[in-house]
Amino acid sequence: MKKLFTLLVAVAIVSISASAQEVNFKSKRGENILPEKGDWAIGFNADGLFRVIANAFKDESDSKDMDFTSNYVGKFVGKKFCTDKKAIRYIANLAVSTAKSNTGKDSSKTETSFELQVGLGKEWRRGKTRLQGFYGIDGLVGVHSSNTKVVNSFDVTKYKHPLGFNVSALGFIGAEFFVFPKLSFGAQYQYGVSLAVTAKDKTTYNGTNVTNNASGSTSFSLGGVGVASMTVTAHF
């Protein structure tokens, strides 16, 4: 799926280079369709919207409503256009999840997690028609934490992972189509490096501290943060 997505983005960007050379692209009312120098924009991740649409056509007979899972992922990008083809990006990413499962009679497991990232980036654009290609780099810093609660009859074990710190540098490439003046739907692919530092963990059994990871942990990863995503962006 990711390879197909990357291929589609590449084809879109190649097609932009061969597109018609219409410089001042306007609507029938004379409105500028493409972003201009001085414009602001706000975009958000639309994966959840497409997931809702997909679920509307899903066969409910295949689902198993035994456990409970709630996920929220909000990815927002603000832009300030320095020129018609270059913008400064302001990023805020929020991810919250809760998952509860029944592991047996009188037994359950509940997992929660939280992550918040903010950052700055720079974006360059190509294309002179409704179809636009873009690429650039983002730098992000953030915090994250997670907790697990296991209930077995009258015993309760809690695994607490306190706030940790992470920093990422991501390159991105994508394409968007302006369906209305300064309103676009698009897709982008991200890839980069990330460093995460986690504080010491804590485990309690029926309210009593039973173990401590005094050293915490540090991890380095090569990959994406929201590797492939669909976007909706409004410019004004």
Side-chain angles (χ1 to χ4, degrees):
M1 181 64 181
K2 293 178 182 177
K3 291 182 179 180
L4 176 60
F5 180 88
T6 306
L7 178 62
L8 290 175
V9 171
V11 171
I13 293 176
V14 170
S15 68
I16 290 171
S17 300
S19 61
Q21 303 298 308
E22 191 167 3
V23 178
N24 296 315
F25 205 66
K26 296 180 180 294
S27 69
K28 294 180 179 180
R29 297 182 178 180
E31 302 166 308
N32 288 323
I33 290 178
L34 305 181
E36 308 168 88
K37 177 181 178 179
D39 280 359
W40 284 89
I42 183 168
F44 64 92
N45 183 285
D47 292 351
L49 175 62
F50 288 101
R51 193 175 299 115
V52 169
I53 295 174
N55 288 339
F57 297 94
K58 185 178 180 181
D59 185 358
E60 296 296 334
S61 62
D62 295 333
S63 63
K64 296 182 180 180
D65 191 19
M66 296 179 63
D67 303 327
F68 170 77
T69 300
S70 175
N71 295 304
Y72 172 77
V73 178
K75 299 178 181 179
F76 304 91
V77 178
K79 302 178 187 180
K80 171 65 175 179
F81 282 79
C82 306
T83 70
D84 292 355
K85 298 297 182 181
K86 184 169 65 177
I88 302 297
R89 292 161 55 98
Y90 306 90
I91 305 102
N93 297 333
L94 175 64
V96 180
S97 68
T98 300
K100 184 176 181 180
S101 58
N102 295 316
T103 56
K105 185 178 180 180
D106 300 323
S107 300
S108 66
K109 181 179 181 180
T110 303
E111 298 174 287
T112 60
S113 65
F114 165 85
E115 182 173 16
L116 174 64
Q117 291 182 313
V118 295
L120 292 172
K122 182 168 285 189
E123 176 180 300
W124 291 269
R125 307 176 64 83
R126 294 186 62 84
K128 298 178 182 179
T129 65
R130 289 177 182 260
L131 182 61
Q132 297 274 293
F134 59 87
Y135 60 93
I137 187 169
D138 292 333
L140 300 168
V141 295
V143 293
H144 58 273
S145 69
S146 62
N147 295 283
T148 302
K149 178 181 178 181
V150 178
V151 178
N152 187 5
S153 297
F154 297 103
D155 297 325
V156 178
T157 304
K158 295 182 179 180
Y159 305 91
K160 184 176 182 180
H161 308 283
L163 279 178
F165 171 81
N166 59 72
V167 57
S168 304
L170 302 171
F172 62 87
I173 186 171
E176 60 184 356
F177 185 80
F178 284 78
V179 291
F180 301 109
K182 299 193 177 182
L183 177 65
S184 65
F185 289 87
Q188 72 174 34
Y189 181 87
Q190 293 183 166
Y191 203 84
V193 294
S194 178
L195 177 67
V197 178
T198 303
K200 61 182 181 180
D201 300 340
K202 182 179 180 180
T203 302
T204 60
Y205 178 74
N206 290 337
T208 302
N209 184 31
V210 295
T211 185
N212 246 341
N213 177 6
S215 62
S217 64
T218 301
S219 62
F220 176 82
S221 63
L222 178 65
V225 177
V227 174
S229 59
M230 307 298 291
T231 60
V232 177
T233 306
H235 305 73
F236 49 91

